[in-house]
Amino acid sequence: MNPVLANKQIVVGVTGGIAAYKSADFVRRLREAGAVVRVVMTDHAKAFITPLTMQAVSGHPVYDDLFDLQAEAAMGHIELARWADAMVIAPATADVMAKIAHGEANDLLTTLCLATRAKLILVPAMNQVMWENSLTQANVQALQTKHMYIWGPGTGSQACGEVGPGRMLEPITLVEQLSALFMTGSLSGKQVLITAGPTHEAIDPVRYITNVSSGKMGYALAESAIEAGAHVTLISGPVHLVPPVRAEYIPVISARQMYNAVLQRVKDCDIFLSVAAVSDYHCQSVASQKIAKSAEQLTLVLERNPDILATVAELPTRPYLVGFAAETDHLISKAQAKWTKKKLDMIIANEVGEQKGMGQEDNTVTVLWKNQQKAFATMSKVKLARELIALIAGEIHNGRSH
Ligand code: PMT
């Protein structure tokens, strides 16, 4: 029995690949760990392993039909999607990954993936050339952006006789990783305040000054902090992203609105992640009507916006402060200077520039705190957010200081 997995409700999805034979062992090990398992099989999976085998190891009839009235009477597919604490698709073929990445729902398994709020884990298994194909890789990236976990594949000899990446991870590894996933709770009970995205500083009713921040880094951090058990308040400038369902969401437009929203909420929070690319200036006066084209030159007088992070740093009781420094040059020295000037606990030096960091899917950062420094390889913002939250949680638990 594994105390973390005991009584956890796991849906195991099996799709049509030779690695499906490992699914039976995976289900057996999950039950040994104390989890309650329901198995969903695609039609192609049944060519590799029988529903009877999966029924025997899971102790329950297998679900395989979206329109099976008998199964729907016992537990409907929406109910099954709600029932799950986690859904693990093992093996996940290139085909099922493509379908899920594109939001298709033409069978029971893909419908469950769309209908669930549970942790969704895909365990790829396929020929190495299929895995490395740029279409598959684009799907992997899309799935990670949607906060799904991709575990593996392992590298080694394959059923097709080739050697390379594409092997399904071993059942024992999957059980260990699942257990670790449920154990995160590293920010359990913590209040986390996050700013994200750009701000808009009005020039006239139809024009504004802004930057190319997409909000992706801040939203990914919000999602990861929620995964780690925190209560998250997300104060966001104007972006085209859907806020995490479990975050308290406060949309703002300008830097001064963001400043007010932060100061109203910061006193109750344990950690403040200042990810927003806040405009340093606003227009001294905003034209009440659209400015018409006339003179050859137009001068806008800009005034400094308040520095939100520096203001929070001066509060008598301040949260653990994490700032970001987006720089095109002298990354570390400039970030170091901001860390000192703004009296932060941690700063994340973020490489930006043409096709780098701001507005992109991937990010490259170096974290500086106390006398330490850690450089992360370029990775998706979703993956990076999980790493950063783990690092911050570690610091919080070890005691904090500037
Ligand atoms: O949104 P994405 O497209 O995903 O891109 C993410 C990001 C690149 C915008 C993000 O990771 C990032 O680096 N954010 C900081 C942007 C920046 O340049 O900050 P700054 O160097 O101007 O400010 C330093 C710190 O002070 C930041 O934490 C900022 O939020 C904060 N600040 C700045 C100005 C201001 N008036 N108030 C502030 O709180």
Side-chain angles (χ1 to χ4, degrees):
M1 182 74 76
N2 169 328
V4 180
L5 290 179
N7 299 318
K8 285 281 182 304
Q9 300 177 162
I10 314 291
V11 169
V12 173
V14 186
T15 65
I18 184 65
Y21 77 93
K22 292 185 185 176
S23 311
D25 188 31
F26 175 45
V27 170
R28 183 184 67 78
R29 286 176 188 273
L30 280 175
R31 290 194 68 206
E32 269 175 15
V36 187
V37 183
R38 299 285 186 277
V39 175
V40 176
M41 295 178 78
T42 61
D43 285 343
H44 288 146
K46 291 184 225 161
F48 293 90
I49 187 163
T50 68
L52 195 59
T53 305
M54 298 310 289
Q55 174 172 323
V57 287
S58 68
H60 286 276
V62 163
Y63 293 80
D64 58 0
D65 187 355
L66 188 54
F67 303 110
D68 179 342
L69 291 180
Q70 226 180 338
E72 284 289 307
M75 189 186 320
H77 63 276
I78 296 296
E79 219 180 311
L80 189 57
R82 285 196 197 122
W83 174 88
D85 294 314
M87 274 188 65
V88 187
I89 304 183
T93 56
D95 177 60
V96 84
M97 290 170 69
K99 281 183 177 153
I100 299 168
H102 290 89
E104 284 187 25
N106 61 355
D107 62 9
L108 179 60
L109 186 58
T110 48
T111 302
L112 288 176
C113 290
L114 266 192
T116 192
R117 288 206 166 105
K119 300 173 198 298
L120 195 42
I121 299 127
L122 292 113
V123 186
M126 66 195 74
N127 164 272
Q128 54 146 349
V129 181
M130 290 173 79
W131 170 253
E132 283 168 350
N133 188 300
S134 60
L135 290 170
T136 306
Q137 288 306 309
N139 290 334
V140 167
Q141 195 164 44
L143 293 164
Q144 284 175 329
T145 306
K146 298 289 174 216
H147 297 273
M148 296 177 201
Y149 296 83
I150 310 288
W151 288 353
T155 299
S157 59
Q158 303 199 293
C160 53
E162 295 180 14
V163 177
R167 284 172 62 90
M168 177 173 143
L169 294 186
E170 294 307 318
I172 191 164
T173 310
L174 295 179
V175 173
E176 280 166 11
Q177 290 197 192
L178 196 58
S179 176
L181 190 65
F182 279 114
M183 234 174 7
T184 48
S186 55
L187 290 181
S188 173
K190 300 285 180 205
Q191 303 278 339
V192 177
L193 182 64
I194 301 178
T195 60
T199 59
H200 287 183
E201 308 300 328
I203 298 172
D204 68 16
V206 292
R207 301 186 179 99
Y208 52 78
I209 300 168
T210 191
N211 56 65
V212 299
S213 166
S214 61
K216 287 175 188 159
M217 191 68 243
Y219 279 54
L221 281 160
E223 196 76 63
S224 297
I226 292 167
E227 270 171 27
H231 176 273
V232 171
T233 303
L234 176 62
I235 300 176
S236 174
V239 296
H240 300 285
L241 300 174
V242 180
V245 244
R246 285 173 291 163
E248 187 187 337
Y249 178 64
I250 297 151
V252 295
I253 310 272
S254 68
R256 285 170 294 167
Q257 287 175 0
M258 188 175 273
Y259 174 88
N260 290 332
V262 168
L263 289 188
Q264 267 172 30
R265 286 155 187 93
V266 75
K267 68 175 187 329
D268 299 322
C269 83
D270 301 293
I271 304 168
F272 176 38
L273 306 180
S274 185
V275 197
V278 186
S279 237
D280 288 322
Y281 293 91
H282 64 269
C283 291
Q284 190 181 52
S285 63
V286 178
S288 57
Q289 305 298 334
K290 182 184 166 201
I291 300 172
K293 179 167 62 181
S294 55
E296 277 306 308
Q297 289 189 343
L298 174 71
T299 304
L300 293 174
V301 179
L302 303 180
E303 275 181 356
R304 278 278 290 273
N305 276 325
D307 191 308
I308 306 168
L309 191 51
T311 308
V312 173
E314 295 300 336
L315 294 176
T317 49
R318 45 174 257 172
Y320 186 86
L321 282 186
V322 182
F324 275 72
E327 309 292 349
T328 52
D329 60 297
H330 300 94
L331 180 68
I332 302 300
S333 58
K334 285 189 175 176
Q336 186 93 45
K338 284 182 184 172
W339 181 73
T340 311
K341 187 164 173 230
K342 299 200 185 198
K343 301 186 182 140
L344 306 179
D345 294 296
M346 181 181 277
I347 194 151
I348 298 169
N350 201 144
E351 273 186 55
V352 292
E354 222 177 300
Q355 306 291 315
K356 264 193 194 170
M358 210 183 279
Q360 306 296 316
E361 290 299 328
D362 290 347
N363 212 0
T364 315
V365 303
T366 298
V367 183
L368 312 173
W369 75 107
K370 292 189 217 154
N371 296 322
Q372 302 192 58
Q373 188 167 321
K374 180 170 178 175
F376 287 86
T378 302
M379 62 181 91
S380 75
K381 287 178 178 168
V382 171
K383 197 153 184 262
L384 178 63
R386 289 186 184 130
E387 303 252 6
L388 293 177
I389 290 295
L391 182 63
I392 293 164
E395 278 307 291
I396 298 283
H397 292 298
N398 291 336
R400 38 160 289 185
S401 73
H402 174 68

